[in-house]
Amino acid sequence: MGWFSVAITSISLLCVVSTVSGIGANWGTQASHPLAPETVVRLLRENGIQKVKLFDADYDTLRALGKSNIEVMVGIPNDMLLSMATSMKAAEKWVSKNVSTHISTNNVNIRYVAVGNEPFLQTYNGSFLKTTFPALQNVQSALVKAGLSNQVKVTVPLNADVYESSTGVPSGGDFRADIHDLMLTIVKFLSDSGSPFTVNIYPFISLYSDPNFPVEYAFFDGNATPVNDGGTSYYNMFDANYDTLAYSLQKNGFGNLPIIVGEIGWPTDGDRNANVEYAQRFNQGFMSHISGGKGTPMRPGPIDAYLFSLIDEDSKSIDPGNFERHWGIFTFDGRAKYSLNLGTMNSGVLVEGKNVRYQERKWCVMKSSAKIDDPNVAPSVSYACGLADCTSLGYGTSCGGMDARGNISYALNSYYQRQNQLDSACKFENISTITKTDPSTGTCRFEIMIEPYYGGTEHMVGCPQRLLGLAAGFILFWLTIL
C-alpha cells in the first residue's frame, strides 16, 4: 500500500452513526495523576465536545458523564475478549454492570460499546483473531437481551492496517489478505446489526515510520503533490486513506456501511515531528476540512470523527514511540496547548480546566555542586526515568535543547513529582536538592503535579515499572552527547 494509506500503532477511539453533531474526543486515563472525572466532563461541555470515547467502563468516569447528554462509547479492553467470547454470562454481566445500570440509574447517554481496541494489529501476532468476533456476537446478544440493541450499537475500533491497496491508490483498496474472510464476517455482522465500521487513521504515524513520506501530504493545506486515482486527485493522506476503506467496503458489497473515524490527531512532544506547531496545523486543518460536510471523493457528506486525544497520559506504554504520552489537545492538568477552533465555540479558543489543585511550588533538581561524572548520576537518572516520564528529553523534543545538567534535573524532578513531592523522593545520593525556583526554560516545562484523584481503584496513584534498561540507555545516550 502506498504511503498515503499507511497507519499503525496502539491506542483507540470511536463513534456516532447518524448525522454529525460536532466533533468527538478520546478520553484516556492512563495517567499517574488524572484529573477528577467531574473536571474532565466540565472541560468537554465547556468546549462543546458532544461525543466521547472511553477505553474502559470505569464507574466514576461514567457516573460523572451522567445527565451531561454527551454521547458515550464505552470500551471492552482486549484482555477481556476471551471471557466475552467464551461466556455468554460474562457478556451479559458486563452489559448489565457497565451499560444498563449507567443508562437507567445514572442517565448516561451510552451509544456504543467498543469491543476490543485495534485487536488485529499485526504487532499482536494474531492474539485476538479467534476471540474478537465471538465477543462481538455475545456482547450484541447481551444488548438484545437487555432491550438496548436499538439504542446501543456494537463496533470494533480497528487500525487502518486492516486494509491495503494493491495499486497504491484508493481504488485498489481491499481488506488485508491474511484476515480477509474474518473482516468480511465482521463487516456483515456490523451491517446486519445497524452498527458502524470504526477506523483509526494516523498521518503522523506514517511520517514517523517512513522517512520518505512527503510531509505536506500529512496536512490539509493543499500544498502536497496530489495522488491521481483515475482522474480523482487526493491532496492529503486522510482522504486517500478513508477512501481506501470506502473502496474496500464497496468491493465486498458493503458500500453503504457507515464509517466512523475513531481516532485522528497529532502529538506535541517525544519526536522531532511531534510539536505544537504541527499539532495545531494538523488538528485545525482537519477541523476546517470536515466542517463544511463535504466529505471525501468516495464518501461525500459529513464525517464522524473523534480527536485523539483530549488529555495527555503520562503512564501510557511508549513501545510505539515516546510521542505516545503527548497526544492531548490539553496537558495533563487541563491547560490548552494551543488555540483550536473545534467549530463549537465562536472564540476558537479552548476553555481550560477549572479548579485544578496543584501540589506545592517546589522542584527536585541537580545540586550546583554535584559533578556530571559522579558515579551516582547514571543509576539515579535511570531509576528516575524508569519510574516517571522522561519522554520530553530527546532530539527535537520540547526539552531537547538543555545541557546534561538540565537533563539530569528534569529526570529527578519527574520522579519527585510522580511521588507526590515526598522528601525521600529527592534524596539521590550527593546529586539532588529541592528548590523553590522554577527550573523551567524556553519550551521545557518542569512540571508540578496536580493533587492526585483517588476516587476509583483504577485511578490510584502509582508508578508502573518501566524498562529500566531502556531508560538508562536513553539517558546515558544524552549524557554522552550533550
Short mmCIF file of all heavy atoms in Angstrom, two decimals, residues 39-49 70 344-345 349-354:
data_model
loop_
_atom_site.label_atom_id
_atom_site.label_comp_id
_atom_site.label_asym_id
_atom_site.label_seq_id
_atom_site.Cartn_x
_atom_site.Cartn_y
_atom_site.Cartn_z
N THR A 39 -14.11 17.19 36.56
CA THR A 39 -13.35 18.27 35.92
C THR A 39 -13.27 18.04 34.41
O THR A 39 -13.40 18.98 33.62
CB THR A 39 -11.93 18.35 36.51
OG1 THR A 39 -12.03 18.59 37.92
CG2 THR A 39 -11.12 19.46 35.87
N VAL A 40 -13.06 16.78 34.02
CA VAL A 40 -12.94 16.47 32.60
C VAL A 40 -14.29 16.64 31.89
O VAL A 40 -14.36 17.16 30.78
CB VAL A 40 -12.41 15.04 32.40
CG1 VAL A 40 -12.31 14.71 30.90
CG2 VAL A 40 -11.05 14.88 33.06
N VAL A 41 -15.37 16.21 32.53
CA VAL A 41 -16.69 16.37 31.92
C VAL A 41 -17.00 17.85 31.73
O VAL A 41 -17.55 18.25 30.69
CB VAL A 41 -17.77 15.69 32.79
CG1 VAL A 41 -19.17 16.04 32.27
CG2 VAL A 41 -17.58 14.18 32.77
N ARG A 42 -16.63 18.66 32.70
CA ARG A 42 -16.83 20.11 32.55
C ARG A 42 -15.99 20.64 31.39
O ARG A 42 -16.45 21.51 30.63
CB ARG A 42 -16.44 20.81 33.85
CG ARG A 42 -16.69 22.32 33.83
CD ARG A 42 -16.43 22.94 35.19
NE ARG A 42 -16.65 24.38 35.18
CZ ARG A 42 -16.52 25.16 36.24
NH1 ARG A 42 -16.18 24.64 37.41
NH2 ARG A 42 -16.71 26.46 36.13
N LEU A 43 -14.78 20.11 31.25
CA LEU A 43 -13.91 20.50 30.14
C LEU A 43 -14.57 20.17 28.80
O LEU A 43 -14.55 20.97 27.86
CB LEU A 43 -12.57 19.76 30.27
CG LEU A 43 -11.36 20.25 29.49
CD1 LEU A 43 -10.90 21.59 30.01
CD2 LEU A 43 -10.22 19.23 29.59
N LEU A 44 -15.14 18.99 28.71
CA LEU A 44 -15.84 18.58 27.50
C LEU A 44 -17.01 19.51 27.20
O LEU A 44 -17.17 20.01 26.08
CB LEU A 44 -16.35 17.14 27.64
CG LEU A 44 -15.31 16.02 27.66
CD1 LEU A 44 -15.92 14.72 28.16
CD2 LEU A 44 -14.72 15.81 26.26
N ARG A 45 -17.84 19.75 28.20
CA ARG A 45 -19.05 20.54 27.99
C ARG A 45 -18.73 21.98 27.63
O ARG A 45 -19.36 22.56 26.74
CB ARG A 45 -19.92 20.47 29.24
CG ARG A 45 -20.43 19.07 29.56
CD ARG A 45 -21.37 19.05 30.75
NE ARG A 45 -22.64 19.69 30.45
CZ ARG A 45 -23.67 19.73 31.27
NH1 ARG A 45 -23.58 19.15 32.47
NH2 ARG A 45 -24.79 20.33 30.94
N GLU A 46 -17.76 22.57 28.34
CA GLU A 46 -17.46 23.98 28.09
C GLU A 46 -16.78 24.21 26.74
O GLU A 46 -16.75 25.34 26.25
CB GLU A 46 -16.59 24.54 29.23
CG GLU A 46 -17.36 24.62 30.54
CD GLU A 46 -16.59 25.35 31.62
OE1 GLU A 46 -15.36 25.54 31.48
OE2 GLU A 46 -17.23 25.74 32.63
N ASN A 47 -16.25 23.14 26.15
CA ASN A 47 -15.66 23.25 24.81
C ASN A 47 -16.60 22.73 23.73
O ASN A 47 -16.20 22.63 22.57
CB ASN A 47 -14.32 22.51 24.77
CG ASN A 47 -13.22 23.29 25.46
OD1 ASN A 47 -12.73 24.28 24.93
ND2 ASN A 47 -12.84 22.86 26.67
N GLY A 48 -17.81 22.41 24.11
CA GLY A 48 -18.81 21.99 23.14
C GLY A 48 -18.55 20.64 22.52
O GLY A 48 -19.06 20.34 21.44
N ILE A 49 -17.75 19.79 23.18
CA ILE A 49 -17.47 18.44 22.67
C ILE A 49 -18.62 17.53 23.09
O ILE A 49 -18.85 17.31 24.28
CB ILE A 49 -16.12 17.92 23.20
CG1 ILE A 49 -14.99 18.83 22.72
CG2 ILE A 49 -15.88 16.48 22.75
CD1 ILE A 49 -13.63 18.53 23.34
N ILE A 70 -23.77 14.01 26.89
CA ILE A 70 -22.66 13.70 25.99
C ILE A 70 -22.79 12.25 25.54
O ILE A 70 -23.00 11.36 26.35
CB ILE A 70 -21.31 13.91 26.73
CG1 ILE A 70 -21.10 15.39 27.05
CG2 ILE A 70 -20.15 13.39 25.88
CD1 ILE A 70 -19.90 15.67 27.94
N THR A 344 -17.29 24.61 17.63
CA THR A 344 -18.36 24.57 18.62
C THR A 344 -18.50 25.88 19.38
O THR A 344 -19.54 26.15 19.96
CB THR A 344 -18.10 23.45 19.64
OG1 THR A 344 -16.84 23.68 20.28
CG2 THR A 344 -18.06 22.09 18.97
N MET A 345 -17.45 26.69 19.39
CA MET A 345 -17.48 27.97 20.10
C MET A 345 -17.07 29.08 19.14
O MET A 345 -16.28 28.86 18.23
CB MET A 345 -16.52 27.96 21.29
CG MET A 345 -16.57 26.68 22.10
SD MET A 345 -18.16 26.38 22.86
CE MET A 345 -17.81 26.79 24.54
N VAL A 349 -11.01 29.60 20.90
CA VAL A 349 -10.03 29.38 21.96
C VAL A 349 -10.56 28.31 22.90
O VAL A 349 -11.70 28.37 23.35
CB VAL A 349 -9.76 30.69 22.75
CG1 VAL A 349 -8.80 30.43 23.89
CG2 VAL A 349 -9.21 31.76 21.81
N LEU A 350 -9.73 27.32 23.19
CA LEU A 350 -10.16 26.24 24.06
C LEU A 350 -10.35 26.73 25.50
O LEU A 350 -9.55 27.51 26.00
CB LEU A 350 -9.13 25.11 24.04
CG LEU A 350 -8.95 24.38 22.71
CD1 LEU A 350 -7.76 23.43 22.78
CD2 LEU A 350 -10.22 23.62 22.32
N VAL A 351 -11.41 26.27 26.13
CA VAL A 351 -11.67 26.59 27.53
C VAL A 351 -10.90 25.60 28.39
O VAL A 351 -11.04 24.38 28.23
CB VAL A 351 -13.18 26.51 27.85
CG1 VAL A 351 -13.43 26.85 29.32
CG2 VAL A 351 -13.97 27.43 26.94
N GLU A 352 -10.09 26.10 29.29
CA GLU A 352 -9.21 25.23 30.08
C GLU A 352 -9.90 24.68 31.32
O GLU A 352 -10.97 25.14 31.71
CB GLU A 352 -7.94 26.00 30.47
CG GLU A 352 -7.14 26.49 29.26
CD GLU A 352 -5.79 27.07 29.64
OE1 GLU A 352 -5.67 27.59 30.77
OE2 GLU A 352 -4.86 26.97 28.82
N GLY A 353 -9.25 23.67 31.92
CA GLY A 353 -9.80 23.06 33.13
C GLY A 353 -9.84 24.05 34.28
O GLY A 353 -8.96 24.90 34.42
N LYS A 354 -10.87 23.92 35.10
CA LYS A 354 -11.04 24.86 36.21
C LYS A 354 -10.89 24.15 37.56
O LYS A 354 -11.14 22.96 37.68
CB LYS A 354 -12.42 25.52 36.12
CG LYS A 354 -12.57 26.45 34.91
CD LYS A 354 -13.94 27.09 34.89
CE LYS A 354 -14.03 28.16 33.80
NZ LYS A 354 -13.82 27.60 32.46
#
